[in-house]
Amino acid sequence: MNIIEAENLSFTYPGAGFNLQVPSLHVKAGEVIGVIGASGSGKTTLLHLLAGLKLRQAGTLQVNGADPSKESEQARRAHRLSKFGLVFQDFALLDYLNVLDNITLPYRVSSALPWDSTVKSRAETLAGSLGLGDKLRRRIDQLSQGEKQRVAIARAMLTKPALLLADEPTGNLDPSNKLAVLDEMLNLAKANGSTVIVVTHDYTLLNRFDRVLQAPSFMEGSP
């Protein structure tokens, strides 16, 4: 069963001279996909299309059984919160909240995610597995860049998402930690049965993925 199906997918930024073209993309449920390419080659744009943050301008796209361009903004937002896990390059954390509140934020802003006694416990366990167990009450603006990255990963994994979309999830980690954190994220995703798409520019990570796609053509390759 494919969780992502795209044919002749196209998106253009007005006046930017950039045109994303994805001739064909099919991702099976449970696959772990790496997307590699130079800066500006369309990797992040692809993630935004899959998440419904941007809408296709041509071609077809089905993500988790739905076409984002045929859904309302409210429906796309609900899907992002309840079905997708997103790790952004800029983290998208709230500085005035502490680590635990940032991790559990999806449950506090979406009625589609009911809060119960297990949510806080899961969040604490996730934080511990990512080396944040002693920082749960610390504010985000008191963390290092690498610690913020780990908070973003924990938040994305808390809902046990069907699809995890991660944009440079190890980009702010030092070499001694990046493989450990990536492996922990992928192990959590596997335990949840999540499909994973990771955008990276780091060729040393590619042996962690089932398949590697190269931007801008998004054809399979083994760099």
Side-chain angles (χ1 to χ4, degrees):
M1 174 183 174
N2 290 332
I3 191 171
I4 296 171
E5 296 186 350
E7 297 288 342
N8 299 314
L9 186 63
S10 178
F11 179 85
T12 301
Y13 291 99
F18 172 80
N19 178 245
L20 174 71
Q21 296 285 343
V22 183
S24 181
L25 177 62
H26 300 272
V27 178
K28 295 179 181 178
E31 272 197 288
V32 178
I33 306 295
V35 180
I36 196 158
S39 178
S41 59
K43 305 185 302 297
T44 295
T45 300
L46 175 64
L47 290 192
H48 286 181
L49 288 168
L50 297 177
L53 292 166
K54 292 180 170 52
L55 299 179
R56 62 178 173 82
Q57 295 165 339
T60 61
L61 176 63
Q62 290 280 324
V63 184
N64 201 33
D67 180 346
S69 66
K70 294 183 179 179
E71 295 182 305
S72 67
E73 173 54 36
Q74 182 178 8
R76 293 196 302 273
R77 182 174 184 271
H79 282 166
R80 284 194 294 272
L81 287 167
S82 61
K83 302 296 184 182
F84 303 159
L86 305 178
V87 181
F88 298 98
Q89 282 193 54
D90 62 358
F91 315 127
L93 302 174
L94 299 180
D95 284 347
Y96 58 85
L97 296 180
N98 64 28
V99 167
L100 181 60
D101 287 343
N102 265 280
I103 293 173
T104 59
L105 188 62
Y107 285 83
R108 299 179 183 278
V109 299
S110 174
S111 59
L113 293 168
W115 180 275
D116 60 37
S117 60
T118 68
V119 175
K120 181 173 179 288
S121 177
R122 279 207 324 276
E124 290 172 343
T125 299
L126 274 170
S129 70
L130 291 165
L132 298 166
D134 61 342
K135 298 178 175 65
L136 290 173
R137 301 301 173 186
R138 191 170 296 183
R139 282 169 48 119
I140 293 300
D141 56 10
Q142 298 172 327
L143 301 181
S144 70
Q145 291 294 96
E147 288 167 342
K148 291 177 183 179
Q149 187 79 75
R150 296 179 190 195
V151 175
I153 291 171
R155 182 187 59 190
M157 299 304 304
L158 184 63
T159 61
K160 300 181 179 180
L163 177 62
L164 175 65
L165 303 172
D167 197 351
E168 301 285 0
T170 63
N172 290 282
L173 302 174
D174 59 64
S176 63
N177 287 322
K178 66 180 180 180
L179 290 178
V181 170
L182 178 64
D183 287 343
E184 182 64 27
M185 184 183 80
L186 296 181
N187 287 337
L188 290 166
K190 183 177 181 180
N192 294 336
S194 303
T195 305
V196 182
I197 298 183
V198 176
V199 159
T200 184
H201 66 274
D202 190 340
Y203 281 71
T204 68
L205 306 180
L206 299 189
N207 63 353
R208 264 51 181 185
F209 306 124
D210 298 331
R211 285 195 286 147
V212 175
L213 305 178
Q214 295 190 62
S217 64
F218 296 100
M219 301 297 289
E220 288 194 45
S222 300

